[in-house]
Amino acid sequence: MPRRKTVVIVLGIAAALLIIVAAVVVVLLLTKSSKSDVAPQNETWKNYRLSNTTLPVHYNLTVHPEIPNGVFSGHVTIELNVSEKTSVIYLHIKWLNITSTRIFDQSGNNVSLKAFAFEPNEYWVVTTDAPLVPGTHFLAIEFSGSLTTGIVGFYRSSYIDKPTKTKRFLATTKFEPTFARRAFPCFDEPNKKASYQVTVIHDSAQPTALSNSPVLSTKILPSGLIETVFARTVRMSTYLVCFIISDFDHLEQMASNNVLVRTYAPADRINNTRFALNRAADVLVAYDEYFGIPYNHSFPKLDLVAIPDFVSGAMENWGVVTFRETNIILDPTTASAQNEFQIAKIVAHELAHMWFGDYVTMDWWSDLWLNEGFANFMAYLYGMEASVPHYNPESSFLTDQLQSTMVLDARLSTHPIIVPIAHPDDINAAFDSITYGKGSSVLRMLENYLGANNFKEGIRTYFRKYQYGNARTDDLWAVLSEQTGVHVKEVMDTWTKQGGYPVVFYDAASSSVRQKQFLSNSNDNVPAEQLWNVPIAYKIGSTPNMFLFKSKTQNVSINSTANLVKLNSDGKGFYRVNYKDDHWALIITALKSTNNTLTVMDRAQLIDDSFQLALANQLNYSIPLSMIDYLSSELSNSVPWSSAISNLAYVASMLQTYNTTATDKLRAKTSYLGSAVLEKLVWNATSGDFQRRLLRPLVMRLACRTADDSINPCRKSAYYMFSEWLKDSTNAIPSDYFEAVVRIGMAQTSLTDDQWSTVWSRYIVAGPVEKLALGRALADCYNQTFLQRLVAYIL
Ligand SMILES: *[C@@H]1O[C@H](CO)[C@@H](O)[C@H](O)[C@H]1NC(C)=O
Ligand SMILES: *[C@@H]1O[C@H](CO)[C@@H](O)[C@H](O)[C@H]1NC(C)=O
Ligand SMILES: *[C@@H]1O[C@H](CO)[C@@H](O)[C@H](O)[C@H]1NC(C)=O
Ligand SMILES: *[C@@H]1O[C@H](CO)[C@@H](O)[C@H](O)[C@H]1NC(C)=O
Ligand SMILES: *[C@@H]1O[C@H](CO)[C@@H](O)[C@H](O)[C@H]1NC(C)=O
Ligand SMILES: *[C@@H]1O[C@H](CO)[C@@H](O)[C@H](O)[C@H]1NC(C)=O
Ligand SMILES: *[C@@H]1O[C@H](CO)[C@@H](O)[C@H](O)[C@H]1NC(C)=O
Ligand SMILES: *[C@@H]1O[C@H](CO)[C@@H](O)[C@H](O)[C@H]1NC(C)=O
Ligand SMILES: *[C@@H]1O[C@H](CO)[C@@H](O)[C@H](O)[C@H]1NC(C)=O
Ligand SMILES: *[C@@H]1O[C@H](CO)[C@@H](O)[C@H](O)[C@H]1NC(C)=O
Ligand SMILES: *[C@@H]1O[C@H](CO)[C@@H](O)[C@H](O)[C@H]1NC(C)=O
Ligand SMILES: *[C@@H]1O[C@H](CO)[C@@H](O)[C@H](O)[C@H]1NC(C)=O
């Protein structure tokens, strides 16, 4: 808008005068008011962290969901410990309507007060006319809310009961990290621990009520509703509270440590939770032993509940763990080795949280990795090892956790494991693969450095010291240092407080090592040089050795005239190792000789390191491509194959764009390798040990994708099986490679409309696990018409 000069100047002067006058008035008013007010009220609730002077001690919580109406109401009485005279109390709420707020003392005398919401911090603020004296006070709040605002907080879920084809409802909770405040007013930070007595009022259509503790009593109210009261819990964080109201059935097993373990699910699928039930009972007993603290010190029961709509894989509510259906329901007649692995892993992860997370909790979300890193570490190395040792779970740790995270952590965009979380809005972002994958990997490295027994003793001390409380990363390091005499913090800060990781170069001729940050893009420059304290494990013959490498370069006295030196035994460390080309040649020769001492984890790590070093321009691609020739005799474990396949997929996708000659060569090589192995494995068999069952579908997809039909029956046979299954779903494809066959079938160029539609209609009615496989297959086809239709159907 054009300005009119004269008017502007006049108006400007007038405005300036007005401002001066106003300012004088305001200053006068302010001075006056601050003199006349008795005590200015500091607006402490503007701090988005809760105060430490008002702590919850116990909650009596009653909730009443009205499932058909999609609403709930409730009331809570919180016993507070006020440690300093105060006239302000604030706690969290979100999307709750508060109908009454009351504060009273131990003799029941009410305090006169005002209460209001401060939405920016999700607070309910109560100010009292007269200050509260230090000591015990009670805060009672009545509230109501909605069950239909999403699938976190307290929400309504539903499922279709297959036999009757009717829709059934349940109400359930998911509170981590900041959603308890959507269900009831609470001090919703992990270190504000308190005990809970939960009461649920529910309709007989959902007769089964579950919460963290066992049922204390039930009665029928005059209204005909059921009132279920649960026993008082131990001290715990708000985000672990849970209540579920459903019509679910259950299976149960008394674990050998006398904990009653139950699985809950809709009646039509309850029998398919038996696998998870058995795993849970095994794992619980193993963890009791490892941690030296019996689970039943806290709760006499453990429930595992299948929730139809669930935002995460599973949630470790203490005593009542909730799962997405695919992670707990397994039909033994259609389950693949992959499905079994997934369920065994998730159960072992969640149960580890009963200690790491529930019994001892991180003080604040910036140390979330203590919960999640430990749960992953325990799941693979101890939980699954106790429950399903024949899976060889630690080897799968390499591909599932370590290697995939190392790819992310080799970018400039990475971040340290411990990130300062100032504002609560940043909490959800902390649940990423650096927290889970790198967190668990550096713990595995530390355990290897300190020794498994020392490490375990340290962990036991940590649990005794911080039981029912909170701890920070440094508290754990301090306990482990005391146990071992090692300055653990100095070593581990280099892994937890800086992003990225090093590549260690070993020069056998000069007997030296050097380190620098590993970045997968050779054009990236490190913003600042970082060094790590790298525990370097290696073997001479079969004797393990270890040294800590802290500086930029170091001479090492590895005495190996006769032995081939391979650093980072079993891929225990979170770093890569590079060698001179002649040393790599020796390694490749060793891999090809069948009597080498390289373990399966060594082999997987050599493959991944060499490909990633080549990607970063630190090694010629001829080395990894020559190394993988040895895979033609890798028949017993899927992990080296899996390492190779993900790297090959990346190389293939890059070449596809740039160089068709090279693409053809790579295709010929992978086809040869895949087919050679597939033939030896008997491609359509289901027998053999567990890792072999995992290996078959992996190699099958590789071979079928790249195969030359004239020399390889893979694709032809897969198409045949696929078409038989399309004709009649009882022509079952053996479960281990059901997904592989359907995906190969859907990827054929001649796929017809009828075939696509049959797969779609089976997807619609499939059980949760089969649904995942069919969903992937639907996305695997190449015809754009079908892909567009799929997207339209999804929307
Ligand atoms: C308000 O804050 C000021 C400065 O932080 C402090 O000196 C004063 O004691 C506080 N008053 C109350 C009532 O807490
Ligand atoms: C409360 O205490 C914790 C230490 O336990 C501290 O980190 C936090 O900053 C304190 N909160 C406030 C608001 O002072
Ligand atoms: C909770 O309820 C129990 C018994 O029902 C009672 O003894 C206790 O005082 C109550 N505590 C609070 C904080 O209301
Ligand atoms: C209240 O807190 C103080 C310290 O803040 C503590 O000494 C006392 O034991 C607590 N009382 C209760 C009942 O938890
Ligand atoms: C406190 O207030 C509640 C609710 O308004 C009332 O039922 C109760 O009688 C009051 N207690 C006393 C001691 O006045
Ligand atoms: C909460 O209050 C709002 C505004 O009064 C109302 O529209 C809403 O229905 C209430 N929700 C519940 C669950 O009571
Ligand atoms: C589950 O197993 C029980 C006992 O083996 C059997 O009675 C029941 O019919 C089965 N339920 C379903 C839905 O198959
Ligand atoms: C190196 O190994 C040789 C033969 O195994 C042995 O004789 C020699 O003492 C070793 N040297 C060191 C420094 O350990
Ligand atoms: C292992 O293989 C190497 C070379 O292939 C051979 O020299 C050596 O004797 C073999 N060792 C054993 C124990 O078979
Ligand atoms: C494509 O790859 C072949 C070897 O596979 C190589 O000889 C040729 O130079 C490559 N072409 C380009 C443009 O990089
Ligand atoms: C496996 O496939 C081969 C070749 O396609 C076929 O001859 C054989 O009967 C199949 N075996 C089984 C167990 O299906
Ligand atoms: C994709 O599928 C549609 C429907 O069957 C068919 O008409 C079309 O020719 C196919 N396109 C290609 C590229 O095969």
Side-chain angles (χ1 to χ4, degrees):
M1 203 159 60
R3 300 164 82 190
R4 269 180 267 152
K5 265 189 183 159
T6 45
V7 180
V8 169
I9 289 166
V10 173
L11 281 179
I13 292 169
L17 282 173
L18 247 170
I19 287 170
I20 291 167
V21 171
V24 170
V25 171
V26 168
V27 168
L28 286 174
L29 281 175
L30 276 181
T31 325
K32 186 159 183 281
S33 75
S34 67
K35 270 183 191 148
S36 63
D37 274 10
V38 188
Q41 191 77 73
N42 284 346
E43 297 188 335
T44 45
W45 57 86
K46 297 214 165 143
N47 186 345
Y48 48 70
R49 292 293 307 273
L50 291 171
S51 148
N52 287 329
T53 56
T54 303
L55 298 177
V57 175
H58 177 77
Y59 291 73
N60 277 350
L61 170 65
T62 299
V63 286
H64 173 203
E66 293 172 49
I67 291 180
N69 303 332
V71 297
F72 66 93
S73 56
H75 53 92
V76 64
T77 305
I78 311 173
E79 180 186 333
L80 301 174
N81 183 357
V82 175
S83 60
E84 277 173 23
K85 200 167 147 174
T86 183
S87 48
V88 185
I89 289 174
Y90 44 93
L91 71 170
H92 289 102
I93 60 162
K94 182 160 185 175
W95 295 340
L96 293 179
N97 288 350
I98 307 283
T99 48
S100 145
T101 304
R102 209 153 61 82
I103 292 179
F104 53 94
D105 63 16
Q106 275 168 309
S107 0
N109 296 316
N110 293 323
V111 168
S112 99
L113 55 80
K114 292 182 205 58
F116 58 92
F118 184 67
E119 279 176 14
N121 289 345
E122 303 180 352
Y123 282 156
W124 185 245
V125 182
V126 185
T127 62
T128 57
D129 295 353
L132 299 172
V133 295
T136 298
H137 298 272
F138 296 89
L139 171 63
I141 300 179
E142 289 171 21
F143 54 92
S144 60
S146 166
L147 291 170
T148 59
T149 50
I151 59 170
V152 295
F154 190 21
Y155 67 98
R156 186 172 71 182
S157 175
S158 66
Y159 71 93
I160 303 290
D161 176 59
K162 286 240 171 79
T164 59
K165 293 194 168 60
T166 51
K167 194 168 187 175
R168 305 282 182 82
F169 290 97
L170 59 145
T172 184
T173 64
K174 159 56 162 100
F175 289 165
E176 191 183 22
T178 56
F179 308 130
R181 65 189 69 170
R182 298 186 187 195
F184 61 100
C186 57
F187 295 81
D188 202 7
E189 289 184 0
N191 67 5
K192 302 290 180 276
K193 289 194 173 186
S195 55
Y196 293 80
Q197 170 146 31
V198 175
T199 300
V200 176
I201 310 228
H202 52 116
D203 194 274
S204 56
Q206 287 84 25
T208 304
L210 298 172
S211 187
N212 307 84
S213 50
V215 171
L216 197 62
S217 67
T218 54
K219 69 172 184 220
I220 310 286
L221 301 174
S223 58
L225 296 170
I226 307 170
E227 181 190 80
T228 302
V229 182
F230 296 90
R232 184 185 178 114
T233 69
V234 291
R235 256 168 68 84
M236 55 191 274
S237 303
T238 47
Y239 79 88
L240 296 169
V241 174
C242 174
F243 26 91
I244 304 168
I245 300 93
S246 74
D247 62 356
F248 287 177
D249 207 343
H250 72 266
L251 298 181
E252 68 182 38
Q253 178 175 344
M254 186 59 91
S256 67
N257 61 352
N258 276 326
V259 174
L260 181 63
V261 184
R262 282 181 167 176
T263 47
Y264 282 85
D268 63 5
R269 58 207 84 158
I270 187 64
N271 286 352
N272 291 337
T273 60
R274 189 165 296 283
F275 178 79
L277 178 68
N278 296 341
R279 297 292 72 74
D282 296 344
V283 168
L284 201 60
V285 172
Y287 288 163
D288 262 16
E289 199 286 321
Y290 185 92
F291 293 113
I293 297 197
Y295 174 86
N296 70 11
H297 274 191
S298 306
F299 292 107
K301 64 92 180 177
L302 174 64
D303 299 324
L304 293 82
V305 190
I307 305 292
D309 306 288
F310 203 66
V311 70
S312 323
M315 175 62 213
E316 68 268 24
N317 316 298
W318 208 351
V320 57
V321 182
T322 44
F323 293 79
R324 191 180 282 187
E325 286 194 330
T326 45
N327 292 330
I328 182 170
I329 291 176
L330 180 127
D331 179 349
T333 62
T334 60
S336 65
Q338 185 61 48
N339 302 145
E340 289 175 27
F341 191 96
Q342 170 74 3
I343 291 182
K345 177 183 82 179
I346 301 278
V347 168
H349 176 105
E350 299 309 323
L351 267 53
H353 275 311
M354 299 298 110
W355 286 263
F356 265 105
D358 297 6
Y359 192 75
V360 177
T361 312
M362 76 259 138
D363 194 71
W364 177 241
W365 299 103
S366 42
D367 276 329
L368 177 66
W369 86 281
L370 275 182
N371 279 11
E372 299 302 346
F374 257 104
N376 260 352
F377 165 82
M378 288 301 298
Y380 284 85
L381 272 72
Y382 292 95
M384 293 178 80
E385 193 56 47
S387 166
V388 284
H390 57 290
Y391 290 10
N392 198 343
E394 190 179 355
S395 66
S396 291
F397 181 92
L398 263 73
T399 37
D400 292 2
Q401 303 294 327
L402 182 118
Q403 293 176 359
S404 50
T405 312
M406 283 182 106
V407 168
L408 298 176
D409 203 25
R411 297 176 184 155
L412 284 180
S413 58
T414 191
H415 63 80
I417 291 178
I418 299 177
V419 281
I421 293 176
H423 199 276
D425 286 353
D426 297 332
I427 296 169
N428 266 313
F431 289 79
D432 71 357
S433 54
I434 296 291
T435 295
Y436 285 74
K438 188 175 181 182
S440 50
S441 297
V442 301
L443 288 169
R444 179 167 164 268
M445 176 166 70
L446 179 64
E447 183 202 37
N448 192 48
Y449 179 54
L450 298 179
N453 217 45
N454 262 336
F455 186 80
K456 179 167 84 176
E457 286 307 322
I459 296 302
R460 289 177 167 190
T461 308
Y462 171 82
F463 276 100
R464 281 193 299 271
K465 186 162 178 190
Y466 294 102
Q467 57 177 323
Y468 302 117
N470 298 79
R472 294 150 196 265
T473 300
D474 284 349
D475 298 328
L476 177 65
W477 298 159
V479 170
L480 288 171
S481 289
E482 211 161 292
Q483 177 69 35
T484 59
V486 172
H487 194 341
V488 176
K489 179 174 162 58
E490 184 183 279
V491 175
M492 293 309 287
D493 276 358
T494 67
W495 299 97
T496 57
K497 293 193 170 172
Q498 41 187 20
Y501 58 88
V503 50
V504 172
F505 191 95
Y506 173 64
D507 182 351
S510 67
S511 235
S512 64
V513 284
R514 58 175 194 265
Q515 62 165 300
K516 68 168 190 210
Q517 181 168 0
F518 179 75
L519 292 170
S520 54
N521 184 341
S522 58
N523 295 323
D524 284 345
N525 290 309
V526 285
E529 191 182 44
Q530 305 188 130
L531 290 176
W532 285 263
N533 283 356
V534 192
I536 307 239
Y538 63 98
K539 282 185 203 147
I540 297 297
S542 54
T543 313
N545 285 273
M546 171 92 71
F547 65 94
L548 190 66
F549 172 33
K550 296 158 64 155
S551 49
K552 200 169 170 179
T553 62
Q554 187 176 314
N555 289 328
V556 290
S557 51
I558 296 178
N559 186 2
S560 77
T561 38
N563 290 289
L564 171 69
V565 175
K566 189 251 167 211
L567 302 189
N568 194 8
S569 301
D570 285 337
K572 291 273 187 181
F574 197 80
Y575 55 91
R576 300 199 184 280
V577 184
N578 201 355
Y579 309 92
K580 287 197 162 158
D581 283 1
D582 57 351
H583 198 104
W584 279 110
L586 290 175
I587 289 174
I588 292 172
T589 309
L591 277 170
K592 288 178 183 170
S593 92
T594 44
N595 71 357
N596 68 67
T597 56
L598 296 165
T599 64
V600 64
M601 292 189 279
D602 285 332
R603 305 197 292 272
Q605 205 47 26
L606 284 166
I607 291 173
D608 194 55
D609 276 359
S610 61
F611 269 104
Q612 291 294 315
L613 287 162
L615 171 65
N617 247 337
Q618 298 180 29
L619 192 66
N620 193 301
Y621 263 112
S622 63
I623 286 170
L625 288 173
S626 146
M627 182 183 294
I628 58 171
D629 286 342
Y630 104 87
L631 287 172
S632 60
S633 53
E634 183 69 79
L635 298 176
S636 62
N637 191 297
S638 68
V639 171
W641 266 106
S642 176
S643 303
I645 287 172
S646 53
N647 279 293
L648 285 166
Y650 178 81
V651 175
S653 71
M654 292 295 115
L655 284 178
Q656 200 163 24
T657 321
Y658 300 115
N659 189 330
T660 50
T661 319
T663 298
D664 289 345
K665 282 183 152 181
L666 189 67
R667 185 181 278 265
K669 188 184 185 85
T670 49
S671 164
Y672 165 76
L673 281 174
S675 308
V677 169
L678 214 45
E679 207 165 287
K680 292 182 205 158
L681 285 174
V682 184
W683 83 275
N684 49 0
T686 51
S687 56
D689 67 22
F690 191 82
Q691 280 288 340
R692 187 170 278 214
R693 289 176 56 203
L694 286 175
L695 176 56
R696 221 172 256 122
L698 261 185
V699 182
M700 187 183 289
R701 289 190 59 222
L702 179 80
C704 281
R705 262 203 316 250
T706 54
D708 174 347
D709 290 343
S710 61
I711 55 165
N712 182 333
C714 177
R715 190 144 49 185
K716 220 166 101 192
S717 309
Y719 291 165
Y720 178 73
M721 282 189 177
F722 178 62
S723 64
E724 289 297 296
W725 173 80
L726 285 175
K727 276 184 220 155
D728 178 353
S729 66
T730 60
N731 294 333
I733 305 167
S735 48
D736 278 347
Y737 46 92
F738 172 80
E739 178 175 330
V741 165
V742 179
R743 289 176 76 170
I744 293 160
M746 288 294 275
Q748 56 188 304
T749 42
S750 57
L751 189 75
T752 66
D753 216 316
D754 275 356
Q755 290 174 316
W756 193 91
S757 303
T758 306
V759 174
W760 173 260
S761 60
R762 292 203 185 148
Y763 167 79
I764 293 299
V765 297
V769 165
E770 200 186 2
K771 213 182 196 90
L772 270 185
L774 294 177
R776 292 188 186 119
L778 284 162
D780 251 5
C781 71
Y782 286 110
N783 184 322
Q784 273 194 25
T785 314
F786 297 141
L787 288 175
Q788 277 164 1
R789 191 187 298 167
L790 177 64
V791 171
Y793 285 4
I794 290 168
L795 292 176

